[in-house]
Amino acid sequence: MLNDEDILKSALAYGDQRAFRKIFDTYYPQTLGFMRQVMRTDEDAKDVAQEVFVKVWTMRAILPEIRSISSYIFRMSVNTALNFARNNKRYSGKLSMDISDNQLIEELIDTKEKELKITRIVQEMPEQRRKIFIMSRFELISNEQIASILGISKKTVENHLNLALKQLRLSGIF
């Protein structure tokens, strides 16, 4: 079942400005607060926070693939702040945070490893479960629509999704 965040991500991916406004109103205050902690001036904090949301807008097409908007925006905030500091002589490469390039690379590698592990586990699922999981989680099709497409009950779809998620949890991914 689609939650509000999934609906917002999908709407924004198609250029819905109201969805962007909702995301901006929700996450900009947190982003600005974070930037005020790590940047040297309030003006820099505002500039970098705004740049984050420009990037959210320009990268909106990939949002349905993102698991968590808040994590995505936080990671983008860290990367944008690091890039700003690298390109600004006043910072001489230093920010008021303890996140190094090596940590970011390690997190990226960890994320890629998790994606590969999820892909492997999904490929090992029984065919029907795999189809249902992919339709639900990657194609964002509702349980009712999946049931209709596959000619099965909604309850069967829900059971397969529960089993798929249980399989992923048992693998230690979640």
Side-chain angles (χ1 to χ4, degrees):
M1 187 161 101
L2 293 176
N3 62 31
D4 289 342
E5 184 173 293
D6 291 332
I7 293 167
L8 271 177
K9 289 187 298 188
S10 294
L12 181 54
Y14 289 104
D16 185 322
Q17 292 179 359
R18 289 176 295 166
F20 176 76
R21 186 68 198 183
K22 175 107 171 118
I23 288 171
F24 181 86
D25 289 345
T26 302
Y27 295 103
Y28 181 78
Q30 296 168 347
T31 303
L32 180 58
F34 172 70
M35 290 303 164
R36 283 181 169 147
Q37 291 176 359
V38 299
M39 305 308 291
R40 292 191 176 155
T41 69
D42 196 52
E43 183 179 319
D44 288 346
K46 289 177 183 177
D47 287 348
V48 176
Q50 288 174 357
E51 187 176 337
V52 167
F53 286 90
V54 168
K55 288 180 180 181
V56 168
W57 178 257
T58 58
M59 303 289 289
R60 68 187 178 273
I62 68 164
L63 282 176
E65 300 169 23
I66 304 302
R67 192 177 343 182
S68 166
I69 291 176
S70 62
S71 296
Y72 176 71
I73 290 173
F74 175 73
R75 177 58 41 215
M76 190 179 287
S77 298
V78 169
N79 291 338
T80 304
L82 287 170
N83 287 337
F84 181 88
R86 247 186 242 115
N87 297 323
N88 192 309
K89 291 179 184 175
R90 284 183 298 174
Y91 287 85
S92 63
K94 294 183 181 177
L95 291 178
S96 302
M97 62 179 156
D98 297 325
I99 299 176
S100 69
D101 287 344
N102 288 340
Q103 286 173 301
L104 294 175
I105 290 169
E106 287 175 20
E107 287 182 27
L108 181 62
I109 290 169
D110 185 50
T111 300
K112 291 294 181 193
E113 287 174 355
K114 282 183 181 178
E115 287 174 5
L116 289 172
K117 192 172 183 182
I118 290 170
T119 300
R120 184 184 51 77
I121 292 168
V122 169
Q123 292 304 317
E124 292 173 356
M125 289 178 182
E127 184 179 355
Q128 185 83 327
R129 187 179 309 159
R130 181 177 58 248
K131 277 186 201 176
I132 291 169
F133 183 80
I134 290 170
M135 291 170 83
S136 173
R137 295 304 193 255
F138 299 119
E139 297 172 10
L140 303 175
I141 300 173
S142 73
N143 292 356
E144 293 85 7
Q145 290 173 317
I146 294 170
S148 175
I149 291 167
L150 297 178
I152 57 178
S153 74
K154 181 182 169 196
K155 187 69 176 167
T156 300
V157 170
E158 291 168 355
N159 287 338
H160 277 289
L161 286 173
N162 286 333
L163 289 170
L165 292 171
K166 181 178 180 181
Q167 190 172 350
L168 288 167
R169 275 191 301 275
L170 288 173
S171 72
I173 291 176
F174 301 122

